[in-house]
Amino acid sequence: MRFLFVHGTGVRRERHDLLFALVRDRLTARFPEATVDSCFWGERYGATLSAQGRSVPGLSAPGAAPGPDDEEIAEWGLLVADPLCELRVLAETGWDTGADGHPDGDDDDGFAMPGVQSAGDRVLELLAEVPGVPDGGEQAALLLGTGLAAGFPAALKSVSRSAEAARAGARAAGQPQARELAKTLARAVTAAALASAGAEADCTGAERDRLVELITTRLGGDARVPGARAAAVLGRLALRVTTQPLLNAWRGSLTVGATPALGDILRYQARGADLRAFLHERITAEPGPTVLIGHSLGGIALVDLLALAAARGEPVPGVELLVTVGSQAPFLYELGALAGIVPGTRLPYAFPRWLNVYDRQDVLSYLAEPVFPGDPRVSDQEIGSRQPFPACHSAYWKQDSLYARIEQAVAEAEIG
């Protein structure tokens, strides 16, 4: 009996040698008479950046200064991620006070008389009166035209009923503070609507700013006046964590740094035939019976190869068992993105037994049995590493339970 291990995406020589040594030792311990080989394809058929990443904006000038809009874009990035973050600053810290104990810049006396409504409470009252459903006018047209109308009522409710809004309102002692509170609330509501719409939002920066201005005006504020305390704190934080140089660094790491992993997948989708031919050559180089073990993209390529060969009536000789580990093959089958099987069709008659091993914490692993219902050749087995993703995607190979599942599948297939 022969085992042939096919590694997954992003693996290059050093990583392959360490990984295969582990797999070989564990398999040999359970199958001392078996031959354990590897099919290393990463350097020959994996992805590389032929132009050294010149297609990535900003990568060639990582030290470039922030652009004129970077701070604003960064602020809104934080707001959409946490619409209440500006309100939280006001709720927790309020406004600075002058030497006389009154809020700085306050032309009023800064104190509400007993029984008299405070300026901040009045703003919150006005917020509760903002219509959640478009009622005509420019604001309604903006909400409908930007895809924000559906989520706007919930955004209004979540902000107006938040503890942050209540605490910030209580701290707004006079009109200057109430005006800033109005703008902060308007930005929070707009950010919450944007967060709710997600990718369905069709909103430019100018439309977003106009919506903030219209809501602010309804609340008695002036959106054209720069915010004070909350905006300053958020601006400093946003500039620190999401400036363009850092964005360039992230983009570089997400493209150049992730090229072996993501690039291998994309390259396989476009030019997978070469890898499949290489796998066929390696599988048939030695007589069977053969157990194929494919991790991640390696499993996808093996499913494609075996299905295509079986559909042509030329099954790959000697293959008795396929083991996929942390594989996306079942999901790609559902999408119609496998080369060898059309969605809704059964596995070809000559397709071998298939053991599919997954970890529910591994977001790159999928179930095969539910998408091939009633096929006795297909079985799913769950194992858990107690590791979060992405560590769990590579943690299969140190777990005895994986090799126990393989040993059980070999026995059931009566492979000798």
Side-chain angles (χ1 to χ4, degrees), residues 128-286:
E129 296 171 3
V130 174
V133 226
D135 61 348
E138 185 181 357
Q139 180 177 313
L142 266 175
L143 290 172
L144 292 169
T146 56
L148 303 184
F152 190 72
L156 265 177
K157 183 182 295 185
S158 65
V159 173
S160 63
R161 296 184 180 181
S162 67
E164 289 86 346
R167 292 201 301 271
R171 285 179 174 270
Q175 287 308 313
Q177 288 72 42
R179 286 192 290 271
E180 182 182 350
L181 176 63
K183 180 178 179 180
T184 304
L185 288 166
R187 281 161 63 93
V189 170
T190 303
L194 285 165
S196 174
E200 299 300 316
D202 185 17
C203 185
T204 66
E207 289 171 321
R208 175 201 66 207
D209 293 346
R210 181 57 180 158
L211 182 57
V212 169
E213 186 175 355
L214 291 171
I215 298 172
T216 303
T217 301
R218 281 180 178 264
L219 305 183
D222 187 348
R224 294 167 297 181
V225 177
R229 187 169 182 79
V233 172
L234 182 67
R236 288 194 298 270
L237 176 62
L239 193 60
R240 178 179 299 173
V241 301
T242 53
T243 54
Q244 188 62 43
L246 188 55
L247 178 61
N248 290 344
W250 283 347
R251 189 167 189 171
S253 66
L254 288 173
T255 50
V256 178
T259 288
L262 178 60
D264 284 358
I265 296 169
L266 297 176
R267 186 182 180 92
Y268 175 77
Q269 291 299 111
R271 296 184 173 85
D274 292 341
L275 174 56
R276 291 192 293 273
F278 178 62
L279 291 175
H280 190 281
E281 178 184 326
R282 292 285 290 113
I283 294 168
T284 56
E286 300 286 341

Side-chain angles (χ1 to χ4, degrees), residues 269 330-339 341-343:
Q269 291 299 111
F331 182 61
L332 294 184
Y333 163 77
E334 284 199 83
L335 292 176
L338 282 182
I341 321 171
V342 177

Side-chain angles (χ1 to χ4, degrees), residues 345-407:
T345 62
R346 296 176 56 84
L347 289 169
Y349 174 76
F351 197 91
R353 288 173 175 260
W354 179 7
L355 169 64
N356 180 61
V357 180
Y358 72 98
D359 181 336
R360 67 180 60 239
Q361 300 301 320
D362 178 11
V363 300
L364 295 178
S365 66
Y366 293 85
L367 298 172
E369 282 186 53
V371 294
F372 297 106
D375 193 326
R377 294 169 294 178
V378 181
S379 65
D380 292 319
Q381 290 289 334
E382 178 182 2
I383 63 174
S385 65
R386 298 189 297 110
Q387 281 278 66
F389 182 81
C392 59
H393 187 59
S394 300
Y396 295 97
W397 309 108
K398 287 190 173 181
Q399 298 183 74
D400 288 336
S401 55
L402 169 64
Y403 302 96
R405 300 291 193 280
I406 294 174
E407 186 174 25

Side-chain angles (χ1 to χ4, degrees), residues 70-80 86 187 231 234-235 238:
D70 287 346
E71 182 173 348
E72 180 190 36
I73 294 169
E75 285 181 14
W76 278 97
L78 291 182
L79 274 168
V80 171
E86 271 187 336
R187 281 161 63 93
L234 182 67

